[in-house]
């Protein structure tokens, strides 16, 4: 990797940077427009991090910090109750998360608030967002509560800070740990209105109106702010990619992500130094690779990333939910862990410098966390947050608690590629706009990705099909692929019927932990997300709900998105599932009994009702062992293969199951992005959208495809 900087030299040729034209100052009006555009992307990020801060403060019952996140005349509408004004909101938060700051020993208050669809107002001074929500709570003395629903929130820019102006929560299910959850009131559940239109799902930031206001920011400052946005995306990708490797116990790939002088600290377990130490720390979870019946799912929630000035160091903080088990042994457990990690940029690539894990609760699955679980090694500490309170600007502390993980590296100065030194001001402006489009693309792809999950959950087939590109394609589970919006809509309708006004049960489709690789020009992207799938229903006749409350897991490993007519839309979507299931709430994931399945068993009835344009059985190895696919079907607690669209983002190591393009491209070259006027995004180590030693997709050879 010693000659990495040479990778940037093709940039000069690509952009014709050395054209000999005399440098000219950029008109101030154009700089003002760029400043406005930067502020609008930063606003979307601020709204997301504001809501994530709310969740992170709730984990430690920091109700006073939570209250500061609301505007002066804010309102909370929680089901049929309303609280108006900061004092009423503070009192309600205090009652909800605990009467004193900090959770009591053994208590738990984890609120997972994810799947945001954020829409900024035209003037850029307010925003709306929809979120999925699920909370797991307990007082450590035997009382537990689980609840979930939908947030439709509003935000406002007040005194120069983004704040919550309306938090509107629609409760959908609730229960305790012993019996599990069920529909609110034991009734059918209504549809929750959307704040957005179909096109608005792919336009988080609408075009501004009128001339841009005068800005005090110069071009150099704006370039620096854009670089921080780009680096935030890269660090988030690295954090989320790390999580997927951990799920599969891919310790070699995990170790590749660490710097040579890295540190891993696991509270209660020890400190491990260097890459060998990182490997040793990972092996506390077992040997490399999953064997039959092993579950090591650790989805990440509420991740905040802060890139320090200079763009050479970053911090991430969030919550890891561990769902652990050995089905063959009948063991299962929960783990709730705060992570607070530090990253450094080394020769253009981000690496993990420090990985710090702070377990909150570990609990056997059977009894759960009602009485505090079997271990709580993080008592008496508060893992430092990624930054200060986003509204007050003050560091967040807790009386009597020791703040841990807050030491920072000495930020190194940023480096400039040699070619960039030759840019004229006009060329710098052009480059700044291109780089800003890449970060705006990250938010656009997230929006439309989450919209797919909401529309699928709500049986909104017209809307769901409409967020695909005109030549888009979609995988229907256990059947195959349908090409084009009309076929996508027809397949969903044929399989599931029309959307009811109310539903006796809901299978949610959270699409979390994205790894998004955006093309150099910011017009296309590859996307990987997790399927986190809670389910709810009405209780049975005896009032029990453990058959309705369950969690399932899957993966969307080969999705793609494009910007079409100014709107981000899905180009291709593949779902590989299920990686784990549950034997009802009482049995959990380790209560599922092995089922022998024959060749290609479990195909969807849709294959006969409306035959797919591409059958799963035509995909060869890519569909091997999946229901409706090829070879012997593997059901949990068997271990399905896991596919990746990217190589290791640091080492370039190619995973065992690797396909960088859309799944239909195996059989239909005309479905590829590059066959339709789009660039192929990078699929591994990359700098600014340019892949490093990336194997061209045309060179890939797969069984079952050409």
């Amino acid at each position: 990797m010693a000659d990495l900087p040479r990778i940037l030299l093709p940039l000069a040729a690509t952009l014709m940077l050395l054209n000999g034209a005399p440098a000219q100052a950029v008109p101030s009006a154009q700089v003002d427009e760029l400043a406005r555009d930067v502020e609008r992307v930063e606003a979307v990020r601020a709204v997301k991090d504001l809501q994530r801060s709310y969740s992170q403060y709730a984990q430690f019952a920091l109700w006073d910090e939570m209250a500061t996140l609301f505007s002066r005349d804010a309102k909370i509408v929680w089901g049929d109750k309303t609280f108006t004004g900061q004092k009423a909101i503070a009192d309600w938060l205090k009652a909800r998360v605990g009467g004193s700051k900090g959770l009591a020993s053994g208590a738990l208050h984890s609120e997972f608030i994810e799947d945001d669809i954020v829409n900024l107002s035209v003037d850029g001074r307010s925003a709306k967002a929809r979120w999925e929500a699920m909370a797991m709570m307990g007082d450590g003395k035997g009382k537990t509560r689980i609840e979930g629903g939908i947030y439709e929130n509003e935000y406002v820019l007040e005194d120069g800070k983004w704040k919550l102006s309306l938090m509107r929560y629609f409760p959908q299910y609730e229960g305790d740990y012993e019996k599990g959850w069920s529909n609110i009131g034991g009734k059918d559940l209504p549809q929750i209105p959307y704040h957005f239109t179909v096109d608005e799902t792919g336009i988080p930031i609408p075009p501004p109106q009128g001339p841009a206001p005068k800005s005090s920011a110069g071009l150099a400052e704006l370039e620096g702010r854009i670089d921080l946005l780009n680096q935030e995306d890269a660090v988030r990708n690295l954090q989320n990619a790390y999580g997927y490797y951990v799920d599969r116990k891919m310790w070699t790939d995990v170790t590749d992500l660490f710097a040579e002088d890295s540190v891993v600290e696991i509270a209660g377990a020890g400190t491990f130094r260097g890459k060998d130490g990182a490997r040793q720390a990972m092996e506390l979870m077992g040997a490399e690779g999953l064997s039959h019946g092993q579950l090591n799912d650790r989805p990440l929630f509420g991740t905040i990333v802060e890139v320090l000035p200079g763009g050479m160091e970053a911090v991430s903080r969030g919550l890891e939910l561990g769902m652990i088990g050995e089905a063959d042994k009948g063991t299962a457990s929960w783990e709730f862990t705060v992570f607070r990690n530090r990253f450094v940029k080394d020769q253009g690539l981000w690496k993990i410098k420090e990985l710090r894990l702070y377990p909150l609760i570990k609990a056997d699955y059977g009894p759960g966390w009602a009485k505090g679980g079997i271990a709580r090694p993080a008592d008496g500490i508060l893992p430092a947050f990624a930054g200060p309170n986003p509204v007050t600007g003050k560091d967040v502390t807790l009386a009597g608690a020791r703040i841990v993980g807050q030491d920072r590296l000495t930020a190194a100065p940023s480096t400039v590629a040699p070619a960039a030194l030759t840019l004229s001001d006009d060329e710098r402006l052009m480059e700044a706009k291109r780089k800003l489009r890449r970060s705006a693309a990250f938010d656009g792809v997230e929006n439309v990705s989450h919209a797919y999950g909401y529309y699928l959950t709500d049986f909104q087939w017209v809307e769901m099909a409409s967020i695909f590109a005109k030549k888009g394609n979609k995988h229907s589970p256990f059947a195959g692929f349908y090409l084009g919006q009309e076929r996508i809509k027809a397949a969903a309708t044929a399989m599931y019927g029309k959307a009811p006004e109310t539903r006796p049960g809901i299978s949610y489709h959270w699409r979390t932990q994205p790894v998004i690789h955006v093309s150099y020009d910011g017009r296309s992207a590859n996307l990987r997300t997790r399927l986190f799938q809670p389910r709810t229903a009405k209780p049975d006749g005896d009032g029990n709900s453990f058959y309705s409350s369950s969690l399932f897991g899957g993966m969307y490993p080969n999705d793609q998105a494009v910007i079409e007519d100014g709107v981000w839309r899905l180009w291709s979507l593949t779902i590989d599932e299920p990686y784990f299931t549950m034997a009802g709430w009482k049995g959990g994931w380790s209560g599922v009994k092995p089922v022998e399945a024959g060749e290609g068993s479990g195909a969807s009835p849709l294959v006969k009702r409306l035959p797919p344009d591409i059958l799963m059985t035509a995909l060869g190895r890519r569909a091997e062992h999946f229901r409706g696919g090829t070879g012997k079907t593997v059901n949990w607690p068997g271990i399905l293969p896991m596919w990746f669209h990217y190589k290791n983002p640091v080492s370039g190591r190619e995973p065992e199951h690797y396909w960088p393009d859309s799944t239909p491209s195996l059989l239909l070259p005309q479905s590829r992005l590059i066959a339709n006027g789009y660039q192929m995004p990078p699929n591994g180590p990359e700098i600014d959208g340019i892949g490093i030693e990336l194997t061209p997709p045309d060179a890939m050879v797969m069984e079952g495809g050409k």
Side-chain angles (χ1 to χ4, degrees), residues 420-542:
L421 299 177
T422 68
L423 294 174
S424 69
D425 284 355
D426 283 340
E427 291 163 339
R428 286 173 58 195
L429 179 67
M430 179 178 67
E431 270 289 86
K433 289 181 177 180
R434 179 191 63 80
K435 292 183 176 181
L436 184 62
R437 284 197 301 272
R438 296 190 69 239
S439 279
F442 203 99
D443 295 302
V445 172
E446 270 201 308
N447 250 33
V448 72
S449 170
H450 296 155
Y452 170 81
Y454 285 115
Y455 287 146
L456 181 59
T457 295
D458 290 344
F459 283 37
Q460 301 294 315
W461 307 136
V462 173
E463 291 81 357
M464 186 267 285
S466 298
I467 64 172
F468 281 81
K470 295 182 181 69
K471 295 183 179 181
N473 59 77
K474 177 190 175 300
H475 183 198
S476 186
F478 322 126
F481 285 84
Y482 293 84
L483 310 180
Q485 293 179 346
E486 289 303 315
R487 289 279 288 168
I488 291 171
K489 179 179 66 176
T493 304
M495 183 64 194
Y496 302 108
K498 296 182 179 179
E501 293 185 5
T502 61
R503 297 157 289 176
I506 297 178
S507 181
Y508 297 92
H509 295 79
W510 295 37
R511 285 168 56 90
T512 62
Q513 203 174 318
V515 175
I516 301 173
H517 291 111
V518 179
S519 64
Y520 178 78
D521 64 4
R523 296 178 58 247
S524 54
N526 285 341
L527 166 68
R528 176 191 186 85
T529 67
R530 178 191 299 276
L531 170 62
F532 181 73
Q533 192 170 39
R535 296 180 179 181
T536 187
K538 294 191 292 188
D540 63 20
D542 296 325

Side-chain angles (χ1 to χ4, degrees), residues 118-133:
V118 178
N119 293 100
L120 193 68
S121 64
V122 172
D123 65 7
R125 300 188 62 81
S126 62
K128 296 181 179 180
R130 187 182 183 96
W131 304 80
E132 297 268 21

Side-chain angles (χ1 to χ4, degrees), residues 57 63-71 86 163 389 391-392:
Y57 297 160
W63 53 267
D64 55 342
E65 297 288 352
M66 298 167 71
T68 66
L69 306 180
F70 290 81
S71 64
Q86 288 185 329
K163 302 178 184 179
N389 181 301
V391 172
T392 68

Side-chain angles (χ1 to χ4, degrees), residues 235-505:
V235 172
R236 187 175 298 278
N237 275 348
L238 180 61
Q239 174 66 71
N240 290 342
Y242 156 87
Y244 289 124
Y245 291 149
V246 170
D247 290 343
R248 301 289 290 189
K249 296 186 178 181
M250 297 169 65
W251 303 144
T252 302
D253 276 288
V254 172
T255 305
D256 284 350
L257 305 181
F258 283 83
E260 292 293 339
D261 57 349
S262 56
V263 175
V264 176
E265 177 191 346
I266 305 174
T271 300
F272 308 82
R273 301 187 180 279
K275 299 185 76 166
D276 289 343
R279 176 71 179 239
Q280 183 183 357
M282 295 301 110
E283 289 178 346
L284 294 176
M285 291 179 265
E288 180 153 24
L290 294 176
S291 60
H292 187 276
Q294 287 187 341
L295 185 67
N296 195 51
D297 258 37
R298 298 173 182 269
L300 309 180
F301 295 96
T303 303
I304 293 177
V305 172
E306 180 198 13
V307 181
L308 300 187
M312 301 295 290
E313 180 192 348
V315 175
S316 72
R317 190 185 191 279
L319 182 70
E320 175 188 282
L321 173 64
M323 294 176 284
I324 318 301
E326 293 255 9
D328 295 352
K329 299 178 181 179
T331 62
S333 61
W334 298 95
E335 294 184 11
F336 297 80
T337 304
V338 172
F339 61 87
R340 211 277 188 178
N341 302 333
R342 292 160 62 184
F343 305 81
V344 292
K345 190 191 287 188
D346 180 9
Q347 297 187 87
L349 295 179
W350 285 99
K351 298 178 182 179
I352 301 173
K353 175 72 172 182
E354 296 181 2
L355 178 74
R356 301 189 185 274
L357 303 175
Y358 303 99
L360 302 177
I361 278 182
K362 296 182 180 180
D364 285 335
Y365 185 88
W369 57 80
K371 295 186 178 181
I374 56 177
R376 187 180 171 88
D379 275 343
I381 66 173
L382 177 65
F385 293 92
N389 181 301
V391 172
T392 68
K394 298 179 180 179
D395 288 337
V396 180
T397 60
L398 177 61
R402 179 168 60 92
I403 308 298
V404 293
Q406 63 182 344
D407 294 338
R408 288 183 174 172
L409 306 171
T410 300
S414 59
T415 57
V416 179
L421 299 177
T422 68
L423 294 174
S424 69
D425 284 355
D426 283 340
E427 291 163 339
R428 286 173 58 195
L429 179 67
M430 179 178 67
E431 270 289 86
K433 289 181 177 180
R434 179 191 63 80
K435 292 183 176 181
L436 184 62
R437 284 197 301 272
R438 296 190 69 239
S439 279
F442 203 99
D443 295 302
V445 172
E446 270 201 308
N447 250 33
V448 72
S449 170
H450 296 155
Y452 170 81
Y454 285 115
Y455 287 146
L456 181 59
T457 295
D458 290 344
F459 283 37
Q460 301 294 315
W461 307 136
V462 173
E463 291 81 357
M464 186 267 285
S466 298
I467 64 172
F468 281 81
K470 295 182 181 69
K471 295 183 179 181
N473 59 77
K474 177 190 175 300
H475 183 198
S476 186
F478 322 126
F481 285 84
Y482 293 84
L483 310 180
Q485 293 179 346
E486 289 303 315
R487 289 279 288 168
I488 291 171
K489 179 179 66 176
T493 304
M495 183 64 194
Y496 302 108
K498 296 182 179 179
E501 293 185 5
T502 61
R503 297 157 289 176

